[in-house]
Amino acid sequence: QRLSSQRLFSTFKSSDSQRVNRTFLCTFFGGSQGDIVAGDSFPTQRHSITDHRLFKKDAVGLKRHVSHEFFKILHFYRLHDHISPVRTIRDLLFSNYDKDVRPDHGVKPLDVEVDLYVESFANIAEANMEYTLFGYLRHYWTDKRFANKSKEVIQLKGSTIEHAWMPDTYISNSRQSNLRQKDSEAESTLFIHTDGSMFYSKGVKIVASCAMDLKDFPMDTQKCGLSLGSYGHSLADVNYKWRREKVVVEKKNIAQFDMTEAYLNRSVMIYISGNYTQLLVYFHFERRIGYYVNQVYIPDTLIVTISWIVFWLGQDDMGGRVGLGITTLLTIMFLLGSVNMSLPRVSYAKAIDWYLIVSFVFVFLVLFECIIVYVVRQRKRSREESGRDRSLDLEEGKRERARTEDSFYIEKLLKSDGFVNVEILSNTGELGIVSSRNNVDSFLPEKKNDIEMTDRTSQRGMMSCKNKRARLSVGDIIDRISRLLFPLAFISFNVSYWNHYLSK
């Protein structure tokens, strides 16, 4: 018996296959691993094969027993050397498993809980009305077909996950995402618990549409959301639920926005194929106005202020006035075009559009004022030139009439004062006194010009006052009113504008 047993193990030892696992030899012979010397494939004389049970059996029974145990060891040896651990787990988990059949099929609807962890947001693209989200989408459900198949949690990765049933979650408002990407190409993992509880996590990048209202741009707040649900399973098969009451957002600030609020919701959508659960998550983004204040509002205010310089320019400098007005108009038009270049072509005016349009109107009114002043100035000049020619013709007649009227007036005055003989010399228009009551004529002037000096001095004083009033022309009045009216109107507009939009 002893020799036959040794011959059997020697044959096994000398084969081309690898050495038998020492643990199973110890189990077969009833000893421990310490009883086998390193490098031996069967027990030595220290623990003889004739010990214990083998000597109690007869030769036939011993041969039958040894052969049976030998083939058991050989079968394990083949599995151990030619099958990888992954394949062993796959065979253990997915034997008699159909991944096309959902858990609890024909029993009850399957509850699938969803959790979203947002790592960060990319910048919101107003032109395309979309935003980008980076995060992790997690699913929780129970598949009793995996229950009691393992005594500890099993983690699967890569293509192995594709052998299990997975929820067919899709995002209805996504324009681009890796949610349906194969697990062998994506960052994903699946945990299978001993009771059949499943936890599936996948890193996602989602580009989703967002219906934006830009009427208050750039003082606006946008509400963007995600709509999740099952594509092929109705409410009678799969029931989607949020696992938590809120969404965790790691980085809330992006370039031009601050994420101020995120909340969850759940609804049921009715389609022709049935009722489907829909999970909704909404994000509120508040825009930072600093960029547009620096790039649009401050430059536009300065441009409007510069246009008021024309009120202090000379009225005859029409080229400088109009040139400055046209330059400011073109600058505001450039600002308006550059702002709307990065925005969608909506059919309504935005808040920044209203500001630029009103600024455009202010500059246009400045240019219009320049034209009015120029027209009034030209008309006044033409009247002055025509009046100057007419005055030259009437000047001589007025002088002759005044000379005659003054001579008769003085003659009458002298006679009333006692001068009896007063004559007007026809040649020179001078007054001469033939005789008087006192026979004295030395005090009376001989020429009319000496008498006119007193009256002309008083008339010059009155004319100087009239000329001072006449110097303030209509154009000057318009310029002076504009210097005060335009700044006050623009300041009032700014106060009402910012109070209206910032108070929302």
Side-chain angles (χ1 to χ4, degrees):
Q1 294 176 358
R2 178 178 177 183
L3 293 175
S4 61
S5 300
Q6 289 182 354
R7 190 180 298 112
L8 178 62
F9 279 98
S10 298
T11 304
F12 180 74
K13 180 179 178 182
S14 61
S15 62
D16 295 334
S17 60
Q18 298 179 0
R19 296 177 180 268
V20 180
N21 191 295
R22 187 179 304 159
T23 304
F24 281 86
L25 289 175
C26 296
T27 304
F28 174 74
F29 291 109
S32 62
Q33 294 187 26
D35 297 329
I36 300 177
V37 181
D40 291 342
S41 299
F42 55 92
T44 61
Q45 296 296 333
R46 291 184 304 168
H47 193 94
S48 176
I49 196 171
T50 58
D51 295 337
H52 302 100
R53 300 186 304 263
L54 296 182
F55 279 114
K56 297 180 182 180
K57 296 183 180 180
D58 55 357
V60 179
L62 178 61
K63 183 178 180 181
R64 186 181 304 167
H65 177 73
V66 172
S67 300
H68 178 70
E69 297 296 333
F70 169 77
F71 283 111
K72 287 174 62 177
I73 296 172
L74 182 62
H75 178 67
F76 176 82
Y77 162 76
R78 288 177 179 175
L79 291 177
H80 181 74
D81 277 42
H82 297 282
I83 300 178
S84 61
V86 175
R87 186 176 177 185
T88 303
I89 295 175
R90 184 186 304 171
D91 292 341
L92 174 65
L93 294 176
F94 303 110
S95 59
N96 300 323
Y97 182 88
D98 189 358
K99 68 176 183 178
D100 296 327
V101 179
R102 69 170 180 86
D104 297 332
H105 178 71
V107 179
K108 63 177 182 178
L110 177 65
D111 292 333
V112 177
E113 295 181 343
V114 180
D115 181 27
L116 179 62
Y117 179 88
V118 180
E119 184 178 4
S120 63
F121 295 95
N123 197 20
I124 298 177
E126 295 89 352
N128 300 326
M129 287 198 173
E130 62 185 21
Y131 72 104
T132 305
L133 179 147
F134 299 92
Y136 303 95
L137 188 62
R138 302 159 179 168
H139 295 77
Y140 304 84
W141 73 96
T142 300
D143 193 342
K144 295 182 180 179
R145 293 174 290 182
F146 292 109
N148 301 322
K149 284 194 174 184
S150 176
K151 295 183 179 180
E152 57 185 22
V153 179
I154 298 176
Q155 180 181 7
L156 302 181
K157 294 182 179 180
S159 60
T160 311
I161 301 176
E162 300 173 4
H163 291 81
W165 180 90
M166 303 297 295
D168 58 341
T169 304
Y170 88 109
I171 301 174
S172 59
N173 66 327
S174 67
R175 296 182 178 178
Q176 181 183 358
S177 71
N178 62 340
L179 189 60
R180 303 308 303 169
Q181 189 178 9
K182 293 183 179 180
D183 291 289
S184 58
E185 302 174 358
E187 298 177 355
S188 60
T189 184
L190 176 64
F191 292 91
I192 303 176
H193 296 264
T194 56
D195 60 349
S197 300
M198 313 287 286
F199 169 60
Y200 176 66
S201 177
K202 188 172 188 177
V204 294
K205 174 187 176 183
I206 302 171
V207 180
S209 61
C210 179
M212 301 181 187
D213 185 5
L214 300 175
K215 291 181 180 179
D216 296 336
F217 177 88
M219 284 80 70
D220 56 331
T221 299
Q222 300 301 333
K223 178 182 177 182
C224 300
L226 287 178
S227 175
L228 297 87
S230 175
Y231 184 82
H233 297 283
S234 65
L235 184 59
D237 293 328
V238 177
N239 184 21
Y240 274 71
K241 299 179 180 179
W242 286 112
R243 186 174 180 85
R244 294 184 176 88
E245 296 182 354
K246 63 179 181 178
V247 177
V248 179
V249 180
E250 182 177 348
K251 298 179 182 178
K252 298 183 179 181
N253 300 330
I254 53 180
Q256 295 185 18
F257 291 88
D258 292 327
M259 203 283 292
T260 57
E261 183 183 3
Y263 63 93
L264 306 176
N265 198 0
R266 181 179 179 272
S267 63
V268 177
M269 304 298 295
I270 301 175
Y271 297 99
I272 191 172
S273 58
N275 300 336
Y276 293 81
T277 55
Q278 186 180 37
L279 301 181
L280 302 171
V281 53
Y282 294 102
F283 304 100
H284 285 250
F285 298 100
E286 184 176 348
R287 192 185 302 273
R288 297 177 181 177
I289 194 177
Y291 172 81
Y292 294 95
V293 170
N294 296 331
Q295 299 296 324
V296 179
Y297 286 102
I298 292 178
D300 180 78
T301 304
L302 294 177
I303 290 170
V304 175
T305 305
I306 290 173
S307 66
W308 300 336
I309 295 177
V310 299
F311 301 145
W312 282 268
L313 295 179
Q315 298 179 8
D316 296 330
D317 189 10
M318 188 61 183
R321 283 184 166 228
V322 175
L324 182 59
I326 293 176
T327 302
T328 52
L329 279 177
L330 294 176
T331 306
I332 293 179
M333 291 179 63
F334 172 77
L335 284 176
L336 186 61
S338 63
V339 168
N340 289 301
M341 188 180 299
S342 60
L343 297 175
R345 298 179 180 178
V346 294
S347 59
Y348 51 83
K350 301 175 286 295
I352 196 170
D353 293 337
W354 285 118
Y355 193 89
L356 292 174
I357 289 172
V358 173
S359 300
F360 184 90
V361 172
F362 268 92
V363 177
F364 178 79
L365 291 177
V366 170
L367 185 60
F368 187 71
E369 189 269 351
C370 295
I371 296 175
I372 292 177
V373 170
Y374 178 75
V375 172
V376 171
R377 179 68 174 173
Q378 290 298 109
R379 289 183 178 179
K380 180 182 178 182
R381 183 175 296 175
S382 61
R383 286 198 302 267
E384 289 178 352
E385 290 179 355
S386 61
R388 190 178 303 157
D389 296 337
R390 190 178 300 172
S391 62
L392 290 176
D393 298 335
L394 298 178
E395 183 76 20
E396 193 64 28
K398 288 182 179 179
R399 288 178 182 177
E400 185 66 25
R401 183 184 300 174
R403 186 182 298 111
T404 304
E405 291 177 355
D406 291 343
S407 299
F408 282 106
Y409 171 76
I410 294 173
E411 179 184 0
K412 184 178 179 180
L413 181 63
L414 291 175
K415 286 183 178 181
S416 64
D417 197 29
F419 293 95
V420 293
N421 294 322
V422 179
E423 296 180 358
I424 300 176
L425 302 178
S426 60
N427 295 330
T428 61
E430 298 176 355
L431 294 176
I433 300 176
V434 179
S435 62
S436 64
R437 67 185 172 189
N438 297 325
N439 295 323
V440 179
D441 57 353
S442 58
F443 72 96
L444 190 65
E446 296 180 354
K447 296 184 179 180
K448 177 199 71 140
N449 294 333
D450 296 335
I451 300 174
E452 292 177 350
M453 293 297 294
T454 305
D455 295 335
R456 289 184 177 181
T457 301
S458 61
Q459 290 178 0
R460 286 175 183 174
M462 296 175 63
M463 290 298 295
S464 63
C465 296
K466 293 180 179 181
N467 289 335
K468 289 181 180 180
R469 296 176 184 175
R471 287 173 192 167
L472 195 61
S473 62
V474 177
D476 294 331
I477 295 174
I478 294 175
D479 280 341
R480 290 192 176 187
I481 294 176
S482 299
R483 293 171 190 174
L484 182 63
L485 180 62
F486 275 80
L488 289 178
F490 192 69
I491 292 173
S492 301
F493 163 71
N494 274 274
V495 171
S496 60
Y497 176 87
W498 293 109
N499 181 58
H500 173 73
Y501 286 104
L502 294 180
S503 61
K504 286 188 175 181

